Amino acid sequence: MSEDQVAHYTACPLQVRAIRWTGDNFEQVENFVGAGRKAAYDPERRRLYVWTRNGATCVVIGDWLVMTHRDDLHAMGNLKFQETYAATEVDHHPV
């Protein structure tokens, strides 16, 4: 097939690390976010705020925090997370 013909492609699988915000796991989330990033919890609203490279993001209970292989942090709603990711074995030797 030449380069100017239409073809179908599949995105390469990308392994990420993730944690779900439950409203009761701030310490685990704070450890997950890691040094150099800020996480804050507003107990009155039961909301979590994390700072990503795009600025402050509000995370509500049930949302996921996703860390890519490049250490980019993203917040994602549960439905989108379930549609995008499946649990996998830990690959200690990525290619």
Side-chain angles (χ1 to χ4, degrees):
M1 174 177 285
S2 69
E3 291 183 22
D4 63 343
Q5 293 179 338
V6 174
H8 296 269
Y9 296 89
T10 302
C12 296
L14 176 64
Q15 192 174 77
V16 298
R17 295 182 309 121
I19 187 169
R20 192 170 189 188
W21 171 237
T22 65
D24 298 316
N25 60 338
F26 180 70
E27 186 174 321
Q28 290 88 350
V29 166
E30 197 171 37
N31 289 333
F32 175 78
V33 168
R37 289 197 179 92
K38 184 178 176 186
Y41 177 52
D42 178 351
E44 287 183 24
R45 295 184 182 164
R46 294 190 57 138
R47 292 201 177 172
L48 174 71
Y49 296 90
V50 294
W51 279 256
T52 68
R53 66 183 174 145
N54 296 324
T57 301
C58 177
V59 182
V60 297
I61 292 173
D63 284 356
W64 290 82
L65 292 172
V66 178
M67 185 81 67
T68 71
H69 68 289
R70 293 185 177 148
D71 282 339
D72 285 333
L73 181 65
H74 304 278
M76 184 177 291
N78 185 51
L79 181 60
K80 179 70 173 174
F81 182 85
Q82 298 300 327
E83 291 173 345
T84 306
Y85 298 105
T88 185
E89 295 292 321
V90 176
D91 183 2
H92 293 287
H93 303 286
V95 178

